[in-house]
Amino acid sequence: MRCVIARFPFDLIKSEVEQSMSGVSPEPVTGVSVSIGRRVYPVMQVGEVITKQDRRDFTSGEMRRALTRLGFTCHDAPQAAPATPAAATRPDEDAWRW
């Protein structure tokens, strides 16, 4: 499949992407990710490996569209952990502590 990533045309084939990523260990996922085989990779890591470009040259949206068109399953960014609640204050406690 022909696609444009960071203004450069690439001819990508699903089996070639799978082969390129076969020996690569996945980085921790913090944003959009893609399932390749039994592993889950950040799309930016996959883009860097298959295009041989710096990650700053393309966006995760470009890679997500290309990988989805190839037939891979992409996942949204993981949900952030809920914030810890602030320490409870007593109603009679003065906030300014004069």
Side-chain angles (χ1 to χ4, degrees):
M1 178 196 74
R2 191 161 194 61
C3 61
V4 176
I5 300 171
R7 298 184 316 266
F8 291 99
F10 291 94
D11 287 318
L12 299 176
I13 300 171
K14 185 175 182 175
S15 61
E16 290 178 357
V17 173
E18 292 170 337
Q19 185 178 14
S20 296
M21 297 306 293
S22 65
V24 178
S25 59
E27 295 174 357
V29 175
T30 57
V32 180
S33 59
V34 60
S35 296
I36 299 177
R38 289 185 281 167
R39 295 184 174 180
V40 178
Y41 296 91
V43 293
M44 297 301 279
Q45 179 185 11
V46 175
E48 185 175 48
V49 171
I50 64 176
T51 65
K52 298 177 180 47
Q53 294 181 340
D54 191 280
R55 295 178 191 202
R56 295 173 290 185
D57 294 340
F58 53 87
T59 66
S60 60
E62 288 177 301
M63 284 310 306
R64 182 179 191 154
R65 281 188 295 278
L67 293 168
T68 301
R69 285 179 56 200
L70 282 173
F72 293 106
T73 302
C74 292
H75 314 279
D76 290 328
Q79 296 294 325
T84 51
T89 58
R90 294 188 334 230
D92 62 337
E93 189 175 32
D94 185 15
W96 296 100
R97 299 180 195 246
W98 295 93

